[in-house]
Amino acid sequence: MTALTITTPDDWHLHLRDGQALSDTVAHTARQFARAIVMPNLKPPVTTVELAAAYRQRILDAVPNGLTFEPLMSMYLTDNTTPAVVEAAAASGFVHGFKLYPAGATTNSDAGVTDIRNIRDSLKAMSDCGLVFQVHGEVTDADVDIFDREAVFIERILQPIRDSLPQLKIVLEHITTAQAVDFVRSAGTKTAATITPQHIRFNRNELFRGGLRPHAWCLPILKAESHREAVAAAAISGDPSFFLGTDSAPHKRTDKESDCGCAGMFSAATAIELYAQSFEAAGALDRLEDFASHFGPDFYGLPRNTSQLTLERREQTVPDSYPLSGGEVVPMLAGQSLPFVASRG
């Protein structure tokens, strides 16, 4: 095979940041993806329809000439999110979900939900309105091992929500464990999950390969090989409950390589090539289009894209860094080779 043409994919979990960073980050995604669910964990967070509309316009203003890209907005759940806010979001036409950040779980999550009981009414409103509950699925209890936080969250918090609100659409984001795979598979058609390129490819050894590697530090943290195998198998399975979400998170090199480095891996610039490499290695390249281009819009109730993207079999070397807000960001697989080059038609 010298080239593979697929329906233009979408990214169902993406961080673009704001301000000067948009001129760097939006271009990377728009070169590969037609649409993306944009995460709302800015400072201050995107908690109202008005803030979401303004952020959406800033993203559109940053799309390079000659490219088309549609940001699909998400809003940030707090203890104070009301059903009226949910209803306004649903009426906007451009907000597609609300993101749960358990307070303290990850980057810019300090304003997140402190107790799931505080958003029960809002979850019911989301179920009634058809908006998607987008979940960072980790507990933050100090006595829970960091490698167990996802599994404990599913058992203690997510399963009871699933049982009590059977019509609520739930996406468990960036899954990392066999428990998450099992939960999604057993939870019915109103439940789905996004899968990142790093959680398909890496186990937790990557954090320590040749020394401490801050650019492999992400949340949820990389897990044991048995969990990586389960997540990779779910991605290539052809099960429509699992679809592409990069969780690409741009952080400056200086912020990652510090005494308290921030979590996140940047993959947006070569995302579809990263997935294609993993799918081919598993003998499942023929299933990439469904995972990347079909299952996400089907779950969100949006039309599939009509444009196409071509993956040409041509080696490229991932740059050591890309510009970011006057500094630089180190990408996933920096300096390494990929066997494909993608171009939108």
Side-chain angles (χ1 to χ4, degrees), residues 23 31 57 75 83 166 176 197 209 256 264 272 342:
S23 63
R31 291 190 184 103
Q57 188 58 56
M75 286 173 52
T176 65
R209 181 172 54 83
K256 294 285 288 183
I272 195 64

mmCIF file of all heavy atoms in Angstrom, residues 23 31 57 75 83 166 176 197 209 256 264 272 342:
data_model
loop_
_atom_site.group_PDB
_atom_site.id
_atom_site.type_symbol
_atom_site.label_atom_id
_atom_site.label_comp_id
_atom_site.label_asym_id
_atom_site.label_seq_id
_atom_site.Cartn_x
_atom_site.Cartn_y
_atom_site.Cartn_z
ATOM 1 N N SER A 23 -2.472 30.713 17.713
ATOM 2 C CA SER A 23 -1.881 30.837 16.379
ATOM 3 C C SER A 23 -0.949 29.673 16.079
ATOM 4 O O SER A 23 -0.684 29.360 14.920
ATOM 5 C CB SER A 23 -1.121 32.160 16.251
ATOM 6 O OG SER A 23 -0.037 32.212 17.171
ATOM 7 N N ARG A 31 -4.868 21.122 9.993
ATOM 8 C CA ARG A 31 -4.232 20.458 8.854
ATOM 9 C C ARG A 31 -4.623 18.990 8.761
ATOM 10 O O ARG A 31 -4.448 18.366 7.713
ATOM 11 C CB ARG A 31 -2.710 20.595 8.943
ATOM 12 C CG ARG A 31 -2.209 22.021 8.735
ATOM 13 C CD ARG A 31 -0.687 22.069 8.596
ATOM 14 N NE ARG A 31 -0.228 23.452 8.501
ATOM 15 C CZ ARG A 31 0.327 24.132 9.487
ATOM 16 N NH1 ARG A 31 0.524 23.538 10.651
ATOM 17 N NH2 ARG A 31 0.709 25.384 9.333
ATOM 18 N N GLN A 57 -14.934 31.955 18.756
ATOM 19 C CA GLN A 57 -14.569 32.934 17.729
ATOM 20 C C GLN A 57 -13.056 33.138 17.683
ATOM 21 O O GLN A 57 -12.480 33.284 16.599
ATOM 22 C CB GLN A 57 -15.275 34.263 17.986
ATOM 23 C CG GLN A 57 -15.101 35.265 16.849
ATOM 24 C CD GLN A 57 -15.603 34.727 15.524
ATOM 25 O OE1 GLN A 57 -16.751 34.319 15.404
ATOM 26 N NE2 GLN A 57 -14.738 34.716 14.506
ATOM 27 N N MET A 75 -18.211 22.903 27.722
ATOM 28 C CA MET A 75 -18.211 23.809 28.866
ATOM 29 C C MET A 75 -17.762 23.074 30.121
ATOM 30 O O MET A 75 -17.840 21.862 30.210
ATOM 31 C CB MET A 75 -19.580 24.460 29.043
ATOM 32 C CG MET A 75 -19.843 25.533 27.993
ATOM 33 S SD MET A 75 -21.526 26.224 27.985
ATOM 34 C CE MET A 75 -21.739 26.703 29.685
ATOM 35 N N PRO A 83 -29.058 23.744 36.059
ATOM 36 C CA PRO A 83 -29.800 23.263 34.888
ATOM 37 C C PRO A 83 -30.076 24.358 33.874
ATOM 38 O O PRO A 83 -30.086 24.085 32.667
ATOM 39 C CB PRO A 83 -31.089 22.718 35.509
ATOM 40 C CG PRO A 83 -30.687 22.274 36.876
ATOM 41 C CD PRO A 83 -29.687 23.291 37.328
ATOM 42 N N PRO A 166 -29.908 6.464 32.793
ATOM 43 C CA PRO A 166 -29.618 5.562 31.667
ATOM 44 C C PRO A 166 -29.634 6.243 30.304
ATOM 45 O O PRO A 166 -29.056 5.709 29.353
ATOM 46 C CB PRO A 166 -30.719 4.503 31.767
ATOM 47 C CG PRO A 166 -31.806 5.154 32.550
ATOM 48 C CD PRO A 166 -31.124 6.073 33.513
ATOM 49 N N THR A 176 -7.432 4.485 30.112
ATOM 50 C CA THR A 176 -6.081 3.965 30.311
ATOM 51 C C THR A 176 -6.042 2.570 30.916
ATOM 52 O O THR A 176 -4.943 2.026 31.090
ATOM 53 C CB THR A 176 -5.276 4.892 31.244
ATOM 54 O OG1 THR A 176 -5.884 4.883 32.550
ATOM 55 C CG2 THR A 176 -5.241 6.311 30.717
ATOM 56 N N PRO A 197 -3.284 8.571 21.357
ATOM 57 C CA PRO A 197 -2.179 7.823 20.742
ATOM 58 C C PRO A 197 -1.167 7.328 21.761
ATOM 59 O O PRO A 197 -0.589 6.253 21.588
ATOM 60 C CB PRO A 197 -1.549 8.835 19.771
ATOM 61 C CG PRO A 197 -1.982 10.178 20.261
ATOM 62 C CD PRO A 197 -3.325 9.972 20.877
ATOM 63 N N ARG A 209 12.220 5.594 30.777
ATOM 64 C CA ARG A 209 13.115 5.026 29.770
ATOM 65 C C ARG A 209 14.377 5.882 29.649
ATOM 66 O O ARG A 209 14.339 7.009 29.176
ATOM 67 C CB ARG A 209 12.402 4.939 28.421
ATOM 68 C CG ARG A 209 13.235 4.340 27.299
ATOM 69 C CD ARG A 209 12.393 4.113 26.045
ATOM 70 N NE ARG A 209 11.696 5.306 25.608
ATOM 71 C CZ ARG A 209 12.251 6.266 24.848
ATOM 72 N NH1 ARG A 209 13.514 6.154 24.466
ATOM 73 N NH2 ARG A 209 11.546 7.308 24.487
ATOM 74 N N LYS A 256 7.356 21.845 31.266
ATOM 75 C CA LYS A 256 7.461 20.398 31.440
ATOM 76 C C LYS A 256 8.754 20.015 32.159
ATOM 77 O O LYS A 256 8.754 19.128 33.024
ATOM 78 C CB LYS A 256 7.419 19.694 30.077
ATOM 79 C CG LYS A 256 6.103 19.811 29.323
ATOM 80 C CD LYS A 256 5.030 18.918 29.920
ATOM 81 C CE LYS A 256 5.293 17.462 29.635
ATOM 82 N NZ LYS A 256 4.203 16.599 30.168
ATOM 83 N N GLY A 264 0.770 16.283 30.415
ATOM 84 C CA GLY A 264 0.182 16.395 29.082
ATOM 85 C C GLY A 264 1.197 16.061 28.011
ATOM 86 O O GLY A 264 2.388 16.380 28.143
ATOM 87 N N ILE A 272 -2.760 11.847 13.330
ATOM 88 C CA ILE A 272 -3.344 10.752 12.550
ATOM 89 C C ILE A 272 -2.252 9.796 12.081
ATOM 90 O O ILE A 272 -2.473 8.579 11.972
ATOM 91 C CB ILE A 272 -4.195 11.284 11.372
ATOM 92 C CG1 ILE A 272 -5.089 10.178 10.810
ATOM 93 C CG2 ILE A 272 -3.331 11.909 10.294
ATOM 94 C CD1 ILE A 272 -6.134 9.661 11.777
ATOM 95 N N ALA A 342 0.320 12.754 6.285
ATOM 96 C CA ALA A 342 -1.103 13.005 6.026
ATOM 97 C C ALA A 342 -1.306 14.344 5.331
ATOM 98 O O ALA A 342 -0.576 15.305 5.560
ATOM 99 C CB ALA A 342 -1.875 12.999 7.345
#
